[in-house]
Amino acid sequence: MIAGRPLVVLVGPPGAGKTTVAEELARRWDAAVRDTDRDIETAHGATVQEIFIDHGEQHFRGLEEHAVATALAEHDGVLALGGGAVLSAATRTALVGHQVVFLDVGLSAAASRVGLGAGRPLLLGNVRSQLKSLMDARRPLYTAVATYTVVTDELDAIQVADRIADLVGARR
C-alpha cells in the first residue's frame, strides 16, 4: 500500500450503495473509511442539502472538488465519493491511476434505495425522473473513470464488497 493513496475509490449514482459498501470493505480490510460528502459536512458545519440551498450547486461542487483532491492525496483506506464528484474535470483527472470502482445500479433499484430523496438536493420533486436524468448524464463519466464496474441491483453490500475484493485483490 502506498501511504496517502486509497485502497479503492467508489463512484456511482445515489442509491448505488457507495457509503455502505465502503464501510463493509473498510471493516474487512481493517482500513479507515472516508466519504467526501461527510468531509464537506464536517468541514462546513452544514449538510450537503443546506450547502446547496444556502450557496448553490456551483459552490458545493467547488467544495467537493477540493474534498476529493484532499482525500485522494492523504487517505489510505476506502474512499467513497459523492455521486456528482465525477462532474469535475479536475476530479476525473485526479482519479487517473487509482483503483476506481463504479457501482452501477438500475433506475428501479436506485429509486427504491433513495426513497423520497430526503437529504439529496438534486432529487427533490419527482425523485424517479430526477434520478433518471442524473444517471443518464453521469453514466459516461462514471464509466470513463472506472477501473472496474460492479452492478449492484441484485446484490447486498457484502456481495458487492466480495466482488470488489476479487477485482482489486485482497489488499490487506
Side-chain angles (χ1 to χ4, degrees), residues 135-146:
M135 291 170 73
D136 289 348
R138 295 176 182 175
R139 181 166 269 109
L141 301 175
Y142 295 135
T143 301
V145 300

Side-chain angles (χ1 to χ4, degrees), residues 19-170:
T19 301
T20 305
V21 171
E23 290 167 352
E24 173 59 26
L25 286 169
R27 183 198 60 74
R28 73 172 55 187
W29 288 336
D30 192 28
V33 65
R34 190 161 174 178
D35 181 303
T36 56
D37 280 350
R38 288 184 188 156
D39 287 354
I40 294 165
E41 290 177 342
T42 299
H44 298 280
T47 66
V48 169
Q49 185 172 11
E50 290 167 341
I51 295 168
F52 262 79
I53 291 168
D54 294 344
H55 303 285
E57 182 176 1
Q58 183 175 2
H59 177 77
F60 173 78
R61 295 297 173 207
L63 299 176
E64 182 175 54
E65 189 175 289
H66 176 74
V68 171
T70 300
L72 289 172
E74 66 186 28
H75 184 65
D76 62 1
V78 180
L79 179 61
L81 304 189
V86 297
L87 295 171
S88 162
T91 293
R92 292 191 306 273
T93 298
L95 289 170
V96 171
H98 289 275
Q99 294 276 0
V100 179
V101 179
F102 167 27
L103 299 185
D104 198 359
V105 64
L107 179 59
S108 292
S112 70
R113 292 175 186 171
V114 301
L116 296 176
R120 299 176 189 264
L122 292 180
L123 297 182
L124 297 177
N126 182 336
V127 174
R128 191 174 180 89
S129 174
Q130 295 294 335
L131 190 55
K132 181 178 181 344
S133 294
L134 286 178
M135 291 170 73
D136 289 348
R138 295 176 182 175
R139 181 166 269 109
L141 301 175
Y142 295 135
T143 301
V145 300
T147 311
Y148 306 104
T149 298
V150 176
V151 179
T152 68
D153 294 48
E154 303 292 326
L155 306 175
D156 63 26
I158 292 171
Q159 293 168 316
V160 174
D162 288 344
R163 294 208 180 161
I164 292 170
D166 288 345
L167 291 168
V168 304

